[in-house]
Amino acid sequence: ELKVEQNPLFLSMQEGKNYTIYCNYSTTSDRLYWYRQDPGKSLESLFVLLSNGAVKQEGRLMASLDTKARLSTLHITAAVHDLSATYFCAVADSGGSNYKLTFGKGTLLTVNP
Amino acid sequence: DTEVTQTPKHLVMGMTNKKSLKCEQHMGHRAMYWYKQKAKKPPELMFVYSYEKLSINESVPSRFSPECPNSSLLNLHLHALQPEDSALYLCASSQDLSSYNSPLHFGNGTRLTVT
C-alpha cells in the first residue's frame, strides 16, 4: 500500500524567508503532483512531476522530484503573505491504467508579515 | 474560476432525506472522480469513472450512489446519510486515466451537513 508523508504539517514563516516542504512516498511511482488549497476552497494544481530529476518553477515556488529517494520537495523562496494556504503532495500508484492518487496530510503554511 | 462546476455549494439534509450532488465539466475529460474531504484532512477518493463507466469504488457505503449520465456530467446520489458523512465533497476530472501529464482539475466542492 502506497503511503505518502509530508513534513512539516504546520509551517509558520516570515515574509522574505525561504523554506522547503518535503514529501516522501513508500513505493515506486511515476507521477507526483503538488496542489494548493485555500481555506474553504478547492484544490488548485501547481506542479506535475513525471521523471527523476524533474524540476519545475512557478513564481516563488519550485518543485523537484527524486524517484530513487522517493522524495519530492516544494521550495518557497522569499515568501509573501499570498502564499499562505495548505499544500498537498499527491502520488499516483504506478502500473496499470487505474489512476488513484494518495495524498499527503498537507502542510498548512502561514506567512506572517 | 474553476472549469469543473459543482452544485449546490452548500447542502443541509436530514438523515432520512434523499439528495443529489451534481458535477459538470466541458473540458472533454473522460475521467471523473468523487472525493470526500473532512476538515483539516486530505481528500479521500470515493469513486472514479472512466469513459462513463465506474472504474474504482473505494469501498464506499451504499448510501452513496454515483451516476455518470454522460461524459460531461457526474452525480452523487445521497440517501440515509449519517452525521459523520458531513464533509466537503469534491468532484474532479482529468483527461483520462492514463495520461501522465494530466493533473486532476477540482471543482469548488459541495459542503454537506447531515443533521
Side-chain angles (χ1 to χ4, degrees):
Chain A
E1 181 188 349
L2 174 60
K3 294 188 188 303
V4 178
E5 288 189 7
Q6 267 183 256
N7 67 83
L9 298 183
F10 300 94
L11 177 55
S12 179
M13 55 191 299
Q14 284 187 307
E15 282 191 328
K17 299 293 187 183
N18 304 333
Y19 209 85
T20 301
I21 299 171
Y22 297 88
C23 175
N24 289 92
Y25 53 97
S26 61
T27 64
T28 302
S29 173
D30 49 12
R31 282 168 284 182
L32 190 141
Y33 305 87
W34 283 97
Y35 287 90
R36 168 184 172 145
Q37 187 175 34
D38 291 295
K41 303 290 187 181
S42 188
L43 282 82
E44 173 192 357
S45 175
L46 295 175
F47 300 108
V48 179
L49 301 170
L50 303 175
S51 60
N52 188 42
V55 177
K56 292 196 174 178
Q57 182 161 7
E58 181 72 34
R60 301 174 187 275
L61 300 178
M62 184 173 70
S64 66
L65 178 62
D66 181 342
T67 57
K68 293 181 182 177
R70 297 176 186 164
L71 170 68
S72 179
T73 61
L74 181 66
H75 187 72
I76 303 154
T77 302
V80 293
H81 180 68
D82 285 352
L83 290 180
S84 298
T86 298
Y87 293 84
F88 291 99
C89 66
V91 183
D93 283 341
S94 65
S97 61
N98 285 338
Y99 187 112
K100 179 180 172 180
L101 290 185
T102 300
F103 282 80
K105 290 185 176 180
T107 297
L108 175 58
L109 171 65
T110 304
V111 180
N112 303 304
Chain B
D1 286 342
T2 181
E3 296 168 317
V4 178
T5 304
Q6 288 187 245
T7 56
K9 292 183 180 180
H10 300 275
L11 178 62
V12 179
M13 61 185 289
M15 290 189 285
T16 59
N17 292 157
K18 287 185 180 181
K19 297 286 184 183
S20 297
L21 310 184
K22 298 186 182 299
C23 174
E24 188 169 4
Q25 58 88 14
H26 293 289
M27 294 178 282
H29 288 174
R30 303 315 299 267
M32 296 186 76
Y33 310 74
W34 280 115
Y35 279 84
K36 173 182 177 179
Q37 187 179 26
K38 301 283 272 184
K40 302 187 189 302
K41 298 289 187 183
E44 297 176 1
L45 182 64
M46 300 175 72
F47 302 103
V48 181
Y49 273 82
S50 175
Y51 289 85
E52 301 158 49
K53 294 192 186 313
L54 184 63
S55 179
I56 296 176
N57 177 342
E58 288 290 290
S59 302
V60 179
S62 60
R63 58 186 183 269
F64 296 91
S65 176
E67 177 196 19
C68 189
N70 60 55
S71 60
S72 300
L73 294 174
L74 185 66
N75 298 323
L76 186 63
H77 302 298
L78 313 173
H79 174 56
L81 294 194
Q82 304 296 312
E84 59 264 28
D85 296 321
S86 298
L88 180 67
Y89 288 84
L90 293 164
C91 173
S93 70
S94 66
Q95 191 170 338
D96 51 43
L97 291 188
S98 57
S99 294
Y100 275 37
N101 61 352
S102 172
L104 298 186
H105 294 255
F106 284 87
N108 284 332
T110 293
R111 187 158 300 282
L112 173 67
T113 303
V114 181
T115 60

